[in-house]
Structure formats: structure tokens, C-alpha cells
Amino acid sequence: MGAQLRVYKRRIKSVTATKKITKAMEMIAASRIVKAQRQVTASTPYATELTRAVTAVATGSNTKHPLTTEVEAPVRAAVLLITSDRGLAGGYSSNAIKAAERLTERLTGEGKKVDTYIVGRKGVAYYGFREIEVTESWTGFTDSPTYADAKKVAGPLIAAVQRDTADGGVDELHIVFTEFISMLTQTPTQNRLLPLSLADASADQDEDAAKKHEILPLFDFEPSAEDVLDALLPRYVESRIYNALLQAAASKHAATRRAMKSATDNAGDLIKSLSRLANAARQAEITQEISEIVGGASALADATAGSEK
């Protein structure tokens, strides 16, 4: 019985140590969410205004440009998938991967060849294990991305958009990431970055202007609308990827906090259960010892009584 009690005590000690670790990780993730939220809030207006500027140039001119012109029969698309470098975040990375697989399946069903670009070790490991070809990948910065990281990711994608499909270029650019909605809600999202849907962008712009009671300005382009679009193309892609990286980082920290809180709570429940089992084992051990003492005393009394006779 003593051996069983020692097993329970050893397990309680082990689970208690694990609980301390998960609690610390929960608190670290909670502190990082605040910083990530601030970065998302700070980057969103810039990305929004860039989209408005691109929409203004495209709707105010007849210039054909990869940024805004729909290809009649697109044959190739690029998909950028943003996952995490680390685990312990529940289904965060797997949900994003599933969304990317659904998007890839849809694009393939439309007759398009898909080039996959991945951010994060979890996505790279998943595709590598299944021997799925990846055009390019980046790791090491998903927890705290910078604008320089976004530029590094955007470079090959912009080059692919500007190349002809016969030379390995793409007609469309899609991005899959986890959108941060709140501390409790993070949703895998897929957006088409290029070509920009002018109808949707114009409608959003008109709606925002109506809410703010603004009159949308008229623009003159200097030196030309095409040159302006050429200058805006890398800025637009970089800003959108940067915003997506920040949203994904905030979502990952929120998912980690939620997963670690669940692990901490489960560890607490397990400690309570093991403590009850340990107490029951201790009580059984004490009861057995008392029974042995009583039995020994009774046997001794009987032996003494027999010797006196």
C-alpha cells in the first residue's frame, strides 16, 4: 500500500510542476497579445488608405495593370499560407492549413496551377511530411513580425505577379491567415490580394465615406497612372502581408493563452483527483496498520492467557 501512495505523490509533484509551466506560458501569451493588438490597430489604417489610393488610381484611369486588371483565363495562382513557428496553440496552425487546402482544392478545380508559399515552421513541416511541393518558405519571425519580414515575404510574390506565366509567373495572389477578431475568436481567413477587386473596394470606400459624411476627392496622376500603380504595387502587397502577419501573431498568442489556460485547469483537476486517491490510499494504509496492531495485540493476549493456564 505504501508503494501506491508514493506513486500518487510522485504524480502529484510532476503535475504540479507542469501546472506551473503552463500557467507561466499563459501569462506570457496574455502579455504578448496586448502588444500584438496595438500593432494590428496601428497597421490597419495604412493598409486601408493604400487600398483606397490604388482604387482611386484604377477607377480614375483606363490603365491596365497586374494590380487591378482581371486576367480573362487565369492559369496560375500563388497562395501564401501563414502558420506558426511553435506549437502549444491548440488548433491554430492546423485550422489555417485546412483553409489553405480548401482554397487550393477550389483553385485547382478551376483549372489553375497553384504555387504555395508558406510562413511558419508548422506549415513547412506539414507540407514537407506529405511531400507537397512548396515554392518558397520563411520561418523564425511569426511570434513578432516586423515590416522588414513582410518585405522579405512580399518580394518573391511581387516578382511572380510581374512575370509572365510562361516564365513561372502567376495571375492571382491569395493569402490565408488567421484573423484576430477578439480574445476569444480567431478565424482562418482567405483573401485575394491581386488582382484587387475594384467593385468591392469601391463599394467599401463609398460606404466608409458615407458613414463619415466625406466627399471622395478627384485625382490627377503625375507622371502617369501606370507609374503610380507601379509604385503602389509593392507597398500595397507589403502592407497587406504585414497586416496579415500581425493578425496571425495576435491570433497565435490568443490561441496559446487559451490552450495553456485549459492545460492549467486540467492540471488542477488532475491534482485534485490524485490527491483524493492519495488520501484514500493513506486511509486504507492506516486502517490496515490499525487492523494489524489490533490483530497482533489480540494474538499476544491470547498467547499470554494460554501460558498462564
Side-chain angles (χ1 to χ4, degrees):
M1 191 63 68
Q4 186 178 13
L5 184 59
R6 285 195 296 273
V7 170
Y8 286 138
K9 288 183 176 180
R10 187 161 55 247
R11 289 194 62 190
I12 290 173
K13 183 178 180 181
S14 175
V15 174
T16 301
T18 302
K19 181 181 177 181
K20 290 180 181 179
I21 295 172
T22 56
K23 184 63 177 179
M25 294 181 69
E26 176 191 346
M27 298 183 69
I28 291 172
S31 66
R32 289 178 175 174
I33 293 173
V34 178
K35 179 181 177 182
Q37 280 183 291
R38 290 174 181 171
Q39 290 180 316
V40 171
T41 303
S43 69
T44 299
Y46 177 70
T48 302
E49 289 303 318
L50 264 180
T51 304
R52 293 182 65 177
V54 171
T55 304
V57 177
T59 55
S61 67
N62 295 323
T63 302
K64 291 186 177 182
H65 194 274
L67 186 58
T68 57
T69 304
E70 295 275 358
V71 179
E72 292 184 3
V75 297
R76 196 164 189 164
V79 173
L80 173 63
L81 168 62
I82 299 178
T83 62
S84 174
D85 284 324
R86 301 180 183 182
L88 302 178
Y92 165 77
S93 292
S94 62
N95 290 336
I97 291 171
K98 289 176 183 177
E101 289 181 329
R102 289 193 296 269
L103 175 60
T104 300
E105 184 177 351
R106 178 173 66 81
L107 294 174
T108 304
E110 294 173 358
K112 302 169 187 173
K113 185 181 186 305
V114 177
D115 293 343
T116 303
Y117 297 78
I118 299 178
V119 174
R121 291 190 179 92
K122 289 298 179 181
V124 173
Y126 179 90
Y127 279 74
F129 180 76
R130 286 156 181 78
E131 298 183 350
I132 301 174
E133 182 181 357
V134 174
T135 304
E136 196 158 349
S137 63
W138 302 267
T139 60
F141 54 80
T142 57
D143 281 355
S144 183
T146 63
Y147 196 83
D149 297 323
K151 290 184 69 174
K152 181 169 61 176
V153 174
L157 295 169
I158 295 171
V161 170
Q162 293 175 330
R163 287 197 304 269
D164 189 84
T165 53
D167 298 326
V170 297
D171 298 315
E172 297 176 357
L173 172 57
H174 300 259
I175 183 170
V176 178
F177 65 99
T178 305
E179 182 181 6
F180 181 85
I181 299 174
S182 68
M183 294 286 287
L184 299 176
T185 307
Q186 302 86 42
T187 307
T189 304
Q190 55 183 29
N191 290 333
R192 192 183 74 172
L193 296 186
L194 297 175
L196 179 65
S197 178
L198 296 180
D200 294 340
S202 297
D204 293 341
Q205 184 172 330
D206 293 340
E207 184 179 350
D208 291 341
K211 288 180 180 178
K212 298 177 182 179
H213 304 288
E214 295 179 349
I215 298 176
L216 296 177
L218 296 176
F219 294 93
D220 289 328
F221 308 113
E222 193 66 38
S224 67
E226 185 175 0
D227 292 333
V228 172
L229 287 173
D230 285 338
L232 288 177
L233 173 61
R235 304 290 181 273
Y236 168 76
V237 176
E238 289 167 5
S239 67
R240 283 298 179 182
I241 291 178
Y242 181 51
N243 185 260
L245 287 171
L246 293 177
Q247 296 251 15
S251 298
K252 189 267 177 185
H253 295 317
T256 297
R257 177 184 174 275
R258 189 166 58 249
M260 291 301 100
K261 184 180 186 308
S262 177
T264 302
D265 293 342
N266 290 339
D269 293 340
L270 183 57
I271 290 172
K272 290 180 182 178
S273 177
L274 290 172
S275 297
R276 283 194 292 266
L277 292 173
N279 290 335
R282 186 182 299 111
Q283 290 172 358
E285 184 177 354
I286 293 172
T287 301
Q288 182 177 353
E289 289 177 354
I290 292 174
S291 298
E292 290 174 354
I293 292 173
V294 171
S298 177
L300 182 61
D302 292 342
T304 303
S307 64
E308 290 179 351
K309 291 179 181 180

